[in-house]
Amino acid sequence: MLKKLPGDETRNLVSTTPDTAVVFRPAIVRTPAAVTIAIFIGRLLVGLARLIWRHPVAVAVSAIPVVLGWLYGWRVVLVAVTIPLSVLIPWALFDRESFNAWIGWRLLAFWRLIWVYRRHWHAVMTVSGLARHLQGRDYVPHLIRVRCTSWADLVSVKMLTGQAVTDWADRIEHLAHGFGATSCRVSVARAGRLLLTFPRRDPLAVPLPAIALPATVSVGPLEIGICEDGRPWHLKIHGTHVLVAGATGAGKGSILWSVIRALIPAIWTGVAQVWGLDPKLMELSFGRAIFEGRYAATPEECADLLEEAVSLMQKRAAKFAGVQREHIPTVEDPFILIVVDEVAFLTAYQSDRTLKQRIMAALATLTTQGRAVGFGVLAALQDPRKDVLTIRNLFPDKIALRLDESEQVDMVLGDGARDRGALADHISSVPEEGAGIGYVRLETSPDPIRVRAAYVSDADIRDMAALFETEEAV
């Protein structure tokens, strides 16, 4: 058995006895001091150039006073500092948004790069298992840059050669706690580079009241809440199907009613219709007038209404055949959204086998053929298991609200969604803190987006229904 030990020359042979392993010690190549110093100076210059290129504002703020003090004395430095502060302070006080966009977030990014990420980078990478030690050398993923927004740090990272995204996605909890964040999300920026998102605060912590009725007629994308980055959450419903999954009290009704509320002008003008299936008789019954007679509660009524939708869809498909490939909502051919409050009551929990087969066949037909001719399905359920809803893969867009188990996240959003940061099982069960909060995974993007739907109260629903009750009375 041969064993190599670093540190000495090969002449120091320990033993040649047959019973003892022969140990070889490789020779040490001594690098001249001049070469070592040159390498150190070169790395220092490259690092300074990179620092100046990536953080020009922070470097200028730090370097200019030092240079002026060295050349002209402290009085010039005092004047040079006072004049910019007299401009920056009022700017920050009276126009905080533009100040942060130009200066504030850049300075914060520089500070957090030095104090938080650069200072702990090597230790976190090593402990989490993302660094490698091969042939006496340490290989650590490269920290490229840090950008700050109003709510999170966006950290760009270059992976080691041979690493995969799953290597990082499996360690999001290590990364979050290592850098003092509540969570971490991993997304692919480009080949070999990742974008790590570390939230500093939660912009969705405060419940969002019902959004005002739109002033224009539209069938989507509809504004129904806000995204984590502060932008309005626009949900596409025309040309797709949406599945909403969440435990009891997770806020599924907020999404259903926010969508209906955003469609009110389109329903009023006749370019859209909403058909309601309410097997629990608790959610959609508040606004029954909005559905204009297309409302069903019992399993028999739900099966009949779904089959009516299938028949109308097939007639429209025959009408569009060879004429047009995309649906444009009109009064003659309106967009029809079928809202199912608890789809599991009509599928897995339906005791009548005949009704169950009718409902499943109608839903499968609508979700496979309805997109192109202006039919959409918005379904909500509590249990996302495959045996509860066998056609869940026919819904291109999916929303996961609070779920009971971590495995359910991937059941709803697809494999790997939780590893990318969709921690739907960590959403608070307190209604004020977690109701309406969820993660959206769209057909066009594999990365989940954290959102919160606006809360539509019972009073808001009654006011919406009153608009149609008044019309019927007239």
Side-chain angles (χ1 to χ4, degrees):
M1 175 179 179
L2 299 179
K3 181 182 294 184
K4 292 183 178 181
L5 297 177
D8 277 327
E9 300 177 1
T10 55
R11 68 173 180 269
N12 297 323
L13 191 63
V14 175
S15 174
T16 57
T17 306
D19 296 334
T20 305
V22 179
V23 180
F24 292 94
R25 296 185 176 91
I28 297 176
V29 178
R30 301 186 181 277
T31 306
V35 175
T36 303
I37 294 173
I39 294 175
F40 175 77
I41 293 175
R43 291 179 177 177
L44 178 63
L45 294 177
V46 171
L48 289 175
R50 185 185 295 115
L51 182 66
I52 295 172
W53 172 258
R54 292 177 178 171
H55 306 280
V57 176
V59 172
V61 170
S62 304
I64 290 176
V66 175
V67 174
L68 291 177
W70 177 268
L71 296 177
Y72 304 106
W74 65 271
R75 291 181 178 85
V76 177
V77 175
L78 183 62
V79 173
V81 171
T82 302
I83 293 177
L85 288 179
S86 63
V87 176
L88 294 177
I89 292 177
W91 184 12
L93 292 176
F94 296 104
D95 192 359
R96 179 64 62 85
E97 183 175 353
S98 64
F99 174 82
N100 287 335
W102 287 95
I103 296 178
W105 301 135
R106 299 173 187 265
L107 292 176
L108 180 61
F110 177 77
W111 168 255
R112 293 189 66 81
L113 169 67
I114 301 300
W115 185 251
V116 177
Y117 297 103
R118 186 73 70 188
R119 189 162 68 103
H120 302 290
W121 187 255
H122 194 284
V124 173
M125 293 296 105
T126 302
V127 173
S128 63
L130 292 171
R132 295 291 184 269
H133 183 82
L134 299 174
Q135 298 181 350
R137 294 188 59 183
D138 290 331
Y139 295 88
V140 182
H142 182 52
L143 174 60
I144 298 176
R145 64 176 299 189
V146 176
R147 292 184 293 115
C148 288
T149 65
S150 60
W151 64 279
D153 297 336
L154 307 179
V155 181
S156 299
V157 179
K158 182 179 180 180
M159 296 187 293
L160 295 177
T161 302
Q163 280 188 332
V165 180
T166 54
D167 295 333
W168 292 75
D170 293 340
R171 295 169 174 84
I172 56 175
E173 294 184 0
H174 301 78
L175 297 171
H177 293 293
F179 295 116
T182 56
S183 63
C184 171
R185 267 160 260 164
V186 179
S187 58
V188 179
R190 59 176 182 170
R193 294 197 177 184
L194 299 178
L195 183 66
L196 309 180
T197 303
F198 295 97
R200 297 193 309 274
R201 66 179 186 89
D202 187 4
L204 305 180
V206 180
L208 183 67
I211 298 174
L213 292 176
T216 59
V217 176
S218 174
V219 295
L222 306 175
E223 182 180 352
I224 65 170
I226 59 173
C227 299
E228 192 171 32
D229 58 4
R231 296 177 301 172
W233 174 24
H234 291 91
L235 180 64
K236 178 183 177 181
I237 59 169
H238 181 241
T240 188
H241 307 293
V242 182
L243 178 65
V244 183
T248 302
K252 296 186 292 295
S254 298
I255 295 178
L256 300 184
W257 280 113
S258 293
V259 169
I260 297 173
R261 184 176 179 85
L263 278 176
I264 290 296
I267 299 173
W268 185 270
T269 56
V271 297
Q273 296 178 5
V274 178
W275 297 17
L277 278 68
D278 190 20
K280 292 196 304 183
L281 282 171
M282 292 300 296
E283 189 66 52
L284 303 181
S285 59
F286 273 86
R288 187 176 302 184
I290 300 175
F291 306 116
E292 299 177 327
R294 295 178 177 88
Y295 172 87
T298 65
E300 294 81 2
E301 293 175 346
C302 291
D304 293 339
L305 192 62
L306 286 172
E307 289 175 345
E308 180 184 349
V310 170
S311 176
L312 183 58
M313 178 199 69
Q314 293 172 342
K315 291 178 180 178
R316 186 179 293 181
K319 176 182 176 182
F320 288 174
V323 179
Q324 64 184 71
R325 296 177 58 188
E326 295 183 359
H327 174 255
I328 300 176
T330 61
V331 176
E332 293 76 16
D333 299 304
F335 167 62
I336 297 178
L337 178 65
I338 301 170
V339 179
V340 187
D341 176 35
E342 182 51 65
V343 67
F345 277 94
L346 302 176
T347 57
Y349 309 146
Q350 177 53 244
S351 58
D352 191 323
R353 181 173 299 181
T354 302
L355 284 176
K356 179 179 179 179
Q357 291 176 347
R358 290 173 57 193
I359 292 171
M360 287 298 300
L363 284 174
T365 305
L366 288 169
T367 50
T368 54
Q369 304 176 21
R371 299 170 61 180
V373 293
F375 283 76
V377 179
L378 174 60
L381 80 162
Q382 296 182 18
D383 190 347
R385 291 177 300 172
K386 189 71 174 180
D387 54 349
V388 174
L389 184 63
T390 57
I391 61 171
R392 69 185 185 194
N393 290 336
L394 298 180
F395 291 83
D397 299 332
K398 304 176 182 67
I399 303 173
L401 302 177
R402 176 175 57 84
L403 296 170
D404 296 327
E405 302 173 1
S406 59
E407 294 80 6
Q408 294 180 347
V409 180
D410 288 350
M411 293 181 188
V412 179
L413 301 181
D415 292 341
R418 192 182 187 281
D419 291 338
R420 290 176 178 265
L423 305 178
D425 54 311
H426 288 181
I427 299 175
S428 174
S429 59
V430 179
E432 292 76 12
E433 298 179 3
I437 295 179
Y439 294 87
V440 181
R441 189 168 186 177
L442 303 176
E443 181 183 19
T444 56
S445 174
D447 295 323
I449 303 171
R450 189 166 179 262
V451 296
R452 184 163 195 170
Y455 173 64
V456 183
S457 65
D458 293 349
D460 295 325
I461 298 173
R462 291 190 179 96
D463 291 340
M464 292 158 52
L467 298 174
F468 296 87
E469 290 173 353
T470 302
E471 182 185 20
E472 292 177 357
V474 174

